[in-house]
Amino acid sequence: MKSLFSIFVAAVLFVASSSVYVVNQWQTGVVLRLGEIVKADIEPGLHFKTPFINNVRLFDSRLQTLDAAPEDYYTVEKKKLEVDSFVKWRIVDVKKFYTTMNGDNRLAGMRLGQIVQSGLRDEFGNRTVKEVISGERVEIAQKIKKTTDLQAESFGIEIEDVRIKRIDLAKDISESVYQRMNAERNREAKDLRSKGTETAEKIKADADRQRVVILADAYSKAEILRGEGDATAADIYAKSYGKNPEFYAFYHSINAYKKSFNNKSDVMVVDPKSDFFKYFNESGK
């Protein structure tokens, strides 16, 4: 009797455990009846199902990363580039995901990888190496995200982000790009030097012109002042001469004597009775 009761309890527990399932916070799931979906997008918590007839498939609804191996793509000039990218995605419609991908994340990753690769191939094939390297990778990633998101919607998948991590050039292309960039930088530097030299010459010419103008103005003012001074001096001399002509003549003669006999080695051959020695000859008077 006890053995039958134990078997009954075990059977009840087995049936109860087969009727209960738990969905975690980071999960979503579907309830299947003989392989057919009867309920989808099950919320987290404790749930019940019909044992033996229904079964449950749970899926990770968190953000997932598809980081595939780098692939080779060709630009419009047929230059090979090695591109490394990744995709951030999540399941938003578990019913579509189960129906289209059989609930297989690996299969979903392969399908998304093919879509991204096709988009990258088209985008790189319409651009030059310079356009790709000079900063259009963000625009490329945005376009691929939009295209991939539209296609992934039918899989019950939402694309959160597509990013290009790295773009490597072949060695010969890298050298060619480097040489082109170096030539462009040298051209820009030469152009800047030329503009700087031109500006410097303009500044120098303007400074020289201003110097000439300033010197000319200063010379003109100096000549005017000198002329005014000479005129004032001549006026003073004339007035002084008019007051006492004899003293004025005597004063000029003394100054002439000082200038003529400034050095002991000076020699003059002059008639002692000439007017030059007038005041010498009349010193006794």
Side-chain angles (χ1 to χ4, degrees):
M1 191 71 180
K2 289 184 178 179
S3 61
L4 290 175
F5 181 74
S6 299
I7 293 172
F8 176 76
V9 171
V12 170
L13 291 176
F14 177 73
V15 171
S17 63
S18 300
S19 302
V20 177
Y21 64 95
V22 177
V23 179
N24 293 312
Q25 290 290 336
W26 45 271
Q27 289 179 322
T28 185
V30 294
V31 177
L32 305 172
R33 179 180 297 160
L34 302 177
E36 182 181 354
I37 298 176
V38 294
K39 186 178 181 181
D41 296 322
I42 303 172
E43 296 181 354
L46 182 65
H47 300 274
F48 298 92
K49 65 182 178 64
T50 304
F52 310 115
I53 298 177
N54 293 346
N55 64 310
V56 179
R57 287 283 304 273
L58 300 178
F59 303 96
D60 192 338
S61 60
R62 293 174 296 185
L63 192 65
Q64 301 183 56
T65 302
L66 172 62
D67 193 356
E71 294 286 340
D72 292 337
Y73 301 97
Y74 288 88
T75 64
V76 70
E77 316 105 321
K78 305 303 180 184
K79 302 293 185 181
K80 185 171 71 174
L81 302 175
E82 187 180 82
V83 182
D84 191 5
S85 63
F86 69 88
V87 181
K88 293 286 186 181
W89 63 280
R90 63 161 56 92
I91 300 171
V92 293
D93 189 333
V94 68
K95 185 176 182 179
K96 284 184 179 180
F97 182 74
Y98 181 80
T99 303
T100 56
M101 296 294 157
N102 197 28
D104 190 344
N105 283 17
R106 185 182 61 84
L107 180 61
M110 291 176 57
R111 187 71 185 94
L112 290 176
Q114 292 173 355
I115 296 172
V116 171
Q117 288 177 12
S118 177
L120 287 172
R121 188 175 297 107
D122 293 339
E123 292 297 329
F124 279 90
N126 293 327
R127 287 174 169 82
T128 64
V129 174
K130 182 179 178 181
E131 290 173 343
V132 172
I133 297 177
S134 64
E136 292 191 11
R137 64 177 64 187
V138 176
E139 180 184 347
I140 293 173
Q142 290 176 347
K143 286 186 176 181
I144 294 174
K145 175 184 177 301
K146 185 176 180 181
T147 303
T148 308
D149 197 27
L150 289 174
Q151 298 185 51
E153 186 179 355
S154 61
F155 309 147
I157 294 174
E158 178 185 54
I159 304 300
E160 184 69 23
D161 195 11
V162 176
R163 293 292 179 92
I164 298 174
K165 295 193 295 184
R166 178 172 54 86
I167 299 177
D168 288 338
L169 304 171
K171 187 175 180 180
D172 56 336
I173 300 176
S174 299
E175 184 64 25
S176 174
V177 171
Y178 172 77
Q179 294 295 339
R180 187 182 302 116
M181 292 174 65
N182 188 43
E184 290 180 357
R185 296 299 178 273
N186 288 334
R187 180 183 57 78
E188 291 177 1
K190 185 177 180 181
D191 185 54
L192 290 174
R193 291 191 191 97
S194 176
K195 291 180 179 178
T197 302
E198 180 182 358
T199 303
E201 290 297 328
K202 288 181 179 179
I203 294 173
K204 184 179 179 181
D206 185 63
D208 290 340
R209 182 186 60 78
Q210 294 182 25
R211 174 179 173 274
V212 171
V213 172
I214 291 171
L215 289 176
D217 289 343
Y219 180 78
S220 176
K221 291 179 181 179
E223 289 298 316
I224 291 172
L225 291 175
R226 186 178 292 109
E228 292 176 351
D230 290 343
T232 302
D235 184 60
I236 293 172
Y237 287 148
K239 291 178 179 179
S240 299
Y241 181 79
K243 290 181 179 180
N244 194 339
E246 185 63 25
F247 175 78
Y248 185 76
F250 173 74
Y251 177 74
H252 273 280
S253 295
I254 294 301
N255 286 333
Y257 296 156
K258 287 173 63 178
K259 293 178 180 179
S260 299
F261 303 109
N262 189 37
N263 196 328
K264 292 182 179 180
S265 61
D266 291 341
V267 177
M268 293 183 64
V269 181
V270 181
D271 185 358
K273 295 180 179 181
S274 64
D275 290 338
F276 183 74
F277 294 107
K278 174 183 179 182
Y279 290 100
F280 272 119
N281 295 329
E282 295 179 356
S283 58
K285 298 181 180 179

